[in-house]
Amino acid sequence: YCHCNEEYLDERYYPATENPYGVMEMSKLMSDDVLNLITPKLLGKLPNTYAYTKGLTEDLVHSFRNKFSIVIARPSIVTASWKEPLPGFVEGINGPTGLMIAGGKGVVRSMYCFEENLCESIPVDIVINCLITLPYKKSLTENSKEVLFCNICDNGTLGNTWGQSLTISKELFYEYPMSISLWYPNGSMKRNYFYHWLSVIFLHYLPAYFVDFMLFITGNKPFLINVQRRLSQGLKVLEYYTTRTWNFRNDNFKQIYADLNEVDKKKFNFNMAEIELKEYLLNYILGVRTFILKETPEDLPKARANLKR
């Protein structure tokens, strides 16, 4: 997503709109207030500084192609592991993982999203296996000054949409719920922005204020409204990606795997076609319960009773 202003992203070089060295020097010389004023102009159609600086860095690295043999890899949204080191292994709560936890606990009830859009996520071990093989592939090329680009992404291989992910995940959450939930995990996606924000007001903020008020009058520390504010900021960032479609060409990604011998295909497997979506999402949910929330299988009967209640 470093060039998400491009509807079609090929595995090739895209020049940055500004000189990377000039932007670095400018950021050193200007105050934060001035930088904040010119940031929207610098971003153009890009959604945030994260994507902008990724594009700058790519241009910067590309400029060293006459000195070094370079590979540039562009993973899409990185999610829990498929197989290694364990199915469903995950460390942080960024991106879809945090959304999964918030939805499973009933904290997030509405999301502005086009359900039919592809969810361009990819397991972390798929990314790493591809990264390991890329230098090998690069070493076989005759022209060492030509940068090898690789879009490490699904691009419709699984055909996984945001709506499909939500439907399967909710079904699995009813079977493997979280031990502590605020509300029944039955949120939904909204195509209409006005309808979505009405839902946010009535299903996110009003319950949060009510719970915090009850905590306050019972002598406990309120916290839920702050959680909702942070979640709203995170969802606002995510909306850019859930309401747009891209065509990420990944011919190199597929061809590099096809060129491996059978031994290496097993050892460094990054064939997206072998992933079974429902099984992967089940392992993802169990991984979140185990590695993030520190819940055990022994907690499930109590969690199911709580969900039923």
Side-chain angles (χ1 to χ4, degrees):
Y1 290 99
C2 53
H3 303 291
C4 45
N5 54 322
E6 302 283 344
E7 186 178 350
Y8 296 92
L9 186 71
D10 288 313
E11 292 172 304
R12 65 173 179 83
Y13 168 63
Y14 288 85
T17 52
E18 284 82 28
N19 183 293
Y21 291 100
V23 174
M24 284 191 286
E25 288 303 314
M26 179 183 67
S27 66
K28 294 176 184 177
L29 297 172
M30 291 184 178
S31 66
D32 290 346
D33 291 339
V34 176
L35 284 173
N36 289 334
L37 287 174
I38 66 173
T39 293
K41 186 67 176 177
L42 291 173
L43 294 185
K45 294 183 179 180
L46 292 174
N48 49 53
T49 53
Y50 181 81
Y52 177 73
T53 53
K54 288 282 188 185
L56 281 181
T57 306
E58 194 173 280
D59 194 313
L60 181 65
V61 172
H62 183 266
S63 68
F64 286 91
R65 62 192 180 280
N66 291 325
K67 296 183 178 180
F68 304 108
S69 184
I70 294 173
V71 172
I72 293 180
R74 304 184 184 120
S76 57
I77 303 172
V78 181
T79 52
S81 65
W82 173 33
K83 291 183 177 180
E84 299 177 287
L86 294 167
F89 180 77
V90 61
E91 287 185 302
I93 60 172
N94 293 327
T97 304
L99 185 62
M100 180 182 289
I101 294 172
K105 288 183 174 291
V107 179
V108 169
R109 307 285 298 168
S110 179
M111 180 177 174
Y112 182 49
C113 178
F114 296 169
E115 295 185 7
E116 71 277 9
N117 286 1
L118 286 176
C119 176
E120 276 291 353
S121 61
I122 191 161
V124 62
D125 49 337
I126 292 274
V127 176
I128 292 171
N129 284 338
C130 182
L131 289 174
I132 291 172
T133 61
L134 277 171
Y136 163 72
K137 178 66 177 179
K138 175 63 178 167
S139 71
L140 301 178
T141 59
E142 294 181 1
N143 185 2
S144 61
K145 294 182 180 180
E146 181 180 346
V147 178
L148 173 62
F149 289 86
C150 182
N151 293 341
I152 307 177
C153 59
D154 178 20
N155 195 27
T157 302
L158 288 178
N160 179 31
T161 63
W162 290 102
Q164 187 179 19
S165 288
L166 176 66
T167 300
I168 296 174
S169 296
K170 283 204 293 187
E171 176 188 330
L172 294 171
F173 265 126
Y174 299 150
E175 190 174 353
Y176 300 95
M178 297 177 182
S179 295
I180 300 174
S181 298
L182 180 72
W183 205 341
Y184 194 74
N186 194 33
S188 62
M189 296 176 176
K190 314 288 195 306
R191 290 185 64 89
N192 185 289
Y193 194 71
F194 178 72
Y195 179 33
H196 161 67
W197 267 106
L198 277 179
S199 299
V200 168
I201 292 169
F202 286 100
L203 301 178
H204 288 186
Y205 281 109
L206 286 183
Y209 276 113
F210 175 75
V211 170
D212 277 1
F213 175 72
M214 297 300 294
L215 289 170
F216 176 74
I217 64 175
T218 55
N220 295 293
K221 185 179 180 180
F223 71 95
L224 195 55
I225 191 62
N226 288 329
V227 171
Q228 282 296 355
R229 284 171 180 159
R230 289 198 297 270
L231 284 172
S232 291
Q233 291 173 355
L235 288 173
K236 186 69 178 175
V237 172
L238 198 59
E239 284 170 9
Y240 178 89
Y241 303 97
T242 59
T243 57
R244 287 169 173 79
T245 57
W246 290 270
N247 187 337
F248 296 127
R249 301 295 298 275
N250 62 349
D251 295 336
N252 286 345
F253 176 62
K254 293 177 179 177
Q255 191 60 50
I256 290 167
Y257 178 79
D259 291 343
L260 297 176
N261 61 44
E262 293 305 313
V263 174
D264 286 339
K265 282 182 178 178
K266 291 180 180 179
K267 186 176 292 186
F268 308 108
N269 189 357
F270 54 95
N271 184 11
M272 291 289 292
E274 293 184 18
I275 298 178
E276 201 284 311
L277 182 59
K278 187 170 184 179
E279 179 186 25
Y280 173 72
L281 288 175
L282 171 59
N283 289 330
Y284 198 163
I285 288 171
L286 294 178
V288 165
R289 293 184 84 258
T290 302
F291 303 113
I292 302 296
L293 302 177
K294 309 301 180 184
E295 298 181 7
T296 65
E298 289 73 26
D299 297 326
L300 276 172
K302 183 179 178 181
R304 287 170 181 149
N306 182 52
L307 180 71
K308 186 176 181 181
R309 185 166 58 249

